[in-house]
Amino acid sequence: MRAQIEILASLQIVDREIKENAGIRQGLLGELQEKERGIRAKKQEIEVLTAACTAKEKLRQEKDRVLQDEGKKAVDKRMRMNRIKNIKELQALQREIDQIRQANSELEEELLKMMIEIDGIKGELKTKQEELVQAQQEWQQTQQGLQAQVSAIDHAVDEASRRRQSIAAEIAADIMSRYELIFSRRGGTAVVEVTGGICQGCYMNIPPQLRNEIIRNEKLNLCPSCQRIVYYKPSEAQEKTA
Ligand SMILES: [Zn+2]
């Protein structure tokens, strides 16, 4: 059993290496995705602002046309006044002209407000576009580096997986499946040493009876607290038996 446990311990080293690399890889991919998401979000904001700007500009032009038309009407009416002699008709026309002027001055104010609004949106748009350019430049710079890191990890994991295969081939199938179950349930630590009567996985005391069994090493022993596979390093086992 000693040989099997020692092989398991060396398998665990490789498995931890693979697990750690998988974690780093996930982190790197997450970083890549987050940067991509950031750029997509910025593009969307720009689209929304552009649409708002176009709509407001269109409305402004329409109102501006109304203003011009009404202005012309007022001028025409003013000209007509010269040809009218009837006082009542003159007064009525004057009222119409006053109304148009009043409406137009309100329209002018509205137009001014709209122009300020449009300028505001354009300013915001410019800022967002600059931010997008910067984010894209950053993306270009970091993306390659991150991709290279991911490839390097993939390469290292491939290599470790080959090592793992040759180590795993030396382990009995039933021991292997127990080991794998514990490894996945116990955060990547399935095989632990016992040092000074203490399980190095959970730091609980191992009862004396079980200590002796672990030293005898005739079967797979589990820590009663954390259920990990426990063993003594040969030197310490010798000390105990001596
Ligand atoms: Zn334990």
Side-chain angles (χ1 to χ4, degrees), residues 50-67:
T50 306
C53 192
T54 308
K56 277 224 188 298
E57 181 61 31
K58 199 178 157 210
L59 196 63
R60 189 195 67 80
Q61 282 171 1
E62 279 167 14
K63 282 190 189 288
D64 195 49
R65 247 193 316 275
V66 172
L67 181 71

Side-chain angles (χ1 to χ4, degrees), residues 65-115:
R65 247 193 316 275
V66 172
L67 181 71
Q68 304 300 328
D69 291 349
E70 292 299 305
K72 270 182 210 148
K73 274 185 207 164
V75 172
D76 288 347
K77 285 182 199 290
R78 184 105 211 130
M79 306 259 283
R80 256 171 56 206
M81 282 182 91
N82 296 330
R83 300 191 295 270
I84 294 171
K85 300 283 178 256
N86 181 310
I87 187 80
K88 277 200 170 167
E89 266 184 60
L90 265 176
Q91 279 171 343
L93 205 53
Q94 184 60 54
R95 268 200 301 278
E96 280 177 41
I97 292 168
D98 289 345
Q99 275 168 3
I100 291 174
R101 281 186 177 157
Q102 177 64 32
N104 274 4
S105 95
E106 280 166 18
L107 203 52
E108 271 169 2
E109 241 171 75
E110 214 181 313
L111 275 167
L112 198 65
K113 265 189 212 156
M114 287 186 85
M115 278 165 79

Side-chain angles (χ1 to χ4, degrees), residues 45-237:
E45 284 175 63
I46 288 172
E47 271 175 35
V48 169
L49 283 174
T50 306
C53 192
T54 308
K56 277 224 188 298
E57 181 61 31
K58 199 178 157 210
L59 196 63
R60 189 195 67 80
Q61 282 171 1
E62 279 167 14
K63 282 190 189 288
D64 195 49
R65 247 193 316 275
V66 172
L67 181 71
Q68 304 300 328
D69 291 349
E70 292 299 305
K72 270 182 210 148
K73 274 185 207 164
V75 172
D76 288 347
K77 285 182 199 290
R78 184 105 211 130
M79 306 259 283
R80 256 171 56 206
M81 282 182 91
N82 296 330
R83 300 191 295 270
I84 294 171
K85 300 283 178 256
N86 181 310
I87 187 80
K88 277 200 170 167
E89 266 184 60
L90 265 176
Q91 279 171 343
L93 205 53
Q94 184 60 54
R95 268 200 301 278
E96 280 177 41
I97 292 168
D98 289 345
Q99 275 168 3
I100 291 174
R101 281 186 177 157
Q102 177 64 32
N104 274 4
S105 95
E106 280 166 18
L107 203 52
E108 271 169 2
E109 241 171 75
E110 214 181 313
L111 275 167
L112 198 65
K113 265 189 212 156
M114 287 186 85
M115 278 165 79
I116 292 167
E117 261 179 48
I118 290 169
D119 278 351
I121 297 175
K122 280 183 178 166
E124 212 182 323
L125 201 52
K126 187 166 174 275
T127 308
K128 296 273 178 217
Q129 275 161 342
E130 283 165 358
E131 282 172 6
L132 177 64
V133 168
Q134 203 188 342
Q136 279 172 328
Q137 278 172 350
E138 271 176 25
W139 164 246
Q140 292 259 313
Q141 284 162 4
T142 52
Q143 184 229 23
Q144 279 189 332
L146 288 174
Q147 296 279 19
Q149 284 181 60
V150 170
S151 305
I153 285 170
D154 286 344
H155 191 75
V157 168
D158 278 352
E159 188 271 325
S161 299
R162 276 195 295 276
R163 255 189 293 145
R164 182 185 202 277
Q165 256 183 353
S166 68
I167 296 171
E170 295 175 50
I171 298 167
D174 59 329
I175 294 178
M176 189 67 186
S177 58
R178 285 184 84 169
Y179 159 82
E180 281 178 338
L181 188 68
I182 302 169
F183 187 89
S184 70
R185 289 195 179 164
R186 288 281 176 269
T189 309
V191 189
V192 289
E193 265 184 68
V194 175
T195 313
I198 290 166
C199 164
Q200 294 304 300
C202 65
Y203 302 103
M204 297 296 277
N205 262 306
I206 301 283
Q209 178 64 30
L210 181 58
R211 276 192 227 177
N212 292 333
E213 278 183 43
I214 298 169
I215 292 165
R216 276 206 297 281
N217 215 347
E218 286 161 352
K219 64 177 182 63
L220 213 61
N221 289 295
L222 302 183
C223 165
S225 309
C226 69
Q227 307 299 320
R228 292 185 174 98
I229 300 165
V230 279
Y231 74 108
Y232 273 107
K233 274 241 167 108
S235 59
E236 198 169 347

